[in-house]
Amino acid sequence: MGTPASQGQLAKIARAIATYVEYQRELGVLGFPRSVPGHAAAARPAPRVAASVDLFADASVAQARTLSELRAAIGDCRRCKLAPHRTQVVFGVGNERARLVFVGEAPGHDEDVRGEPFVGRAGQLLTEIITKGMRLRREDVYIANVIKCRPPGNRNPEPDEVATCEPFLLRQLEIIAPEVIVALGKFAVQTLLRTKTPITQLRGRWHDYHGIRLMPTFHPAYLLRNPGDKRLVWDDIRKVMGVLGIGGAPA
Ligand code: URA
């Protein structure tokens, strides 16, 4: 048996639990399942990937005050079944004080290798939108994904992976506190807005994500296949520039 916990340690544990419960409540969790000894669920074999929450790691996610604290709290994440397949966690890149954040779906092969979002072909197009279209530098904005690990074979992320990973994005956005989010592509848009409405109906209009203005637009990878729709993305980006009060290239 170990030594009994001191008052100070108990107070620390109580604070961690309170922070974690409040954090889950903000995410919309209304209750926690009860684990009943001898219940069928308790007899199931342990999952290969730890499904249990590491209370202290996740309390430190909720308590992170800077992006580097948040990155440290995420650590060498093993919270979902993507972990064994990825090379590294692709956390995000850019300005911690950015007024504008771009959110994509998940890292692809190039991002998984380099550890930075949007560095492949689609990323080059996003960089052009930022630099040539908006006349900003990539370092002026922040770029992240809903999912921080590459899904094998670039398949769509699954609901349990989104549920595990989205809190990290939410905390990233709370820390950065941007004025505008641009959500890139059907998956990011539908996930963040909790809707199945087609992106063609969502794009070009303002939406709300936890109190931040969100503009959905097409994913740069889609634009590589459908260059004719660049005009629509430019319309959406001009609305963003209008709200941010920035100039940019003439239409
Ligand atoms: N597509 C995404 O959605 N995100 C990336 O980081 C790269 C490609």
Side-chain angles (χ1 to χ4, degrees):
M1 259 230 323
T3 46
S6 70
Q7 290 282 14
Q9 283 168 324
L10 287 175
K12 197 172 160 209
I13 291 167
R15 276 198 305 276
I17 293 171
T19 306
Y20 179 71
V21 170
E22 174 60 18
Y23 178 52
Q24 291 294 325
R25 200 185 56 74
E26 281 176 17
L27 292 173
V29 175
L30 302 176
F32 293 90
R34 254 190 253 180
S35 165
V36 182
H39 185 269
R44 276 188 216 126
R48 272 191 298 136
V49 174
S52 63
V53 171
D54 178 340
L55 190 61
F56 294 99
D58 286 84
S60 54
V61 167
Q63 286 167 339
R65 294 282 165 262
T66 63
L67 292 179
S68 62
E69 279 178 24
L70 178 60
R71 179 65 194 88
I74 293 171
D76 182 32
C77 187
R78 306 264 144 206
R79 295 168 179 82
C80 89
K81 62 187 186 304
L82 292 177
H85 305 281
R86 60 121 208 269
T87 306
Q88 54 191 315
V89 173
V90 181
F91 177 66
V93 69
N95 185 344
E96 183 146 357
R97 297 272 154 268
R99 299 175 66 204
L100 172 61
V101 174
F102 289 89
V103 177
E105 174 176 336
H109 172 265
D110 295 318
E111 291 76 20
D112 180 60
V113 171
R114 298 250 314 259
E116 182 173 329
F118 283 99
V119 290
R121 278 187 68 222
Q124 281 166 21
L125 183 50
L126 177 63
T127 303
E128 278 180 24
I129 292 170
I130 294 165
T131 56
K132 296 191 181 154
M134 307 184 85
R135 299 273 162 93
L136 296 172
R137 295 169 310 162
R138 217 174 123 100
E139 328 59 288
D140 293 330
V141 303
Y142 195 84
I143 306 174
N145 286 304
V146 178
I147 297 281
K148 311 286 187 230
C149 294
R150 183 191 182 206
N154 293 346
R155 66 156 167 75
N156 276 346
E158 293 174 358
D160 58 314
E161 296 155 5
V162 174
T164 307
C165 216
E166 193 184 349
F168 304 148
L169 174 67
L170 190 52
R171 192 75 201 112
Q172 256 172 326
L173 291 167
E174 284 170 352
I175 291 168
I176 299 168
E179 288 161 55
V180 173
I181 298 167
V182 173
L184 298 165
K186 171 183 155 162
F187 177 86
V189 171
Q190 292 185 340
T191 302
L192 297 184
L193 298 181
R194 305 273 188 279
T195 180
K196 290 278 172 227
T197 306
I199 185 164
T200 46
Q201 288 174 34
L202 296 167
R203 60 148 287 277
R205 296 165 208 257
W206 290 106
H207 300 262
D208 177 84
Y209 182 72
H210 294 270
I212 306 170
R213 285 197 213 214
L214 183 147
M215 174 60 73
T217 196
F218 291 126
H219 196 284
Y222 166 87
L223 292 183
L224 291 172
R225 299 188 303 270
N226 301 277
D229 280 347
K230 282 185 184 173
R231 186 182 47 81
L232 297 175
V233 170
W234 181 231
D235 287 345
D236 304 342
I237 293 295
R238 267 196 309 215
K239 289 182 185 159
V240 169
M241 289 163 57
V243 162
L244 294 175
I246 54 178

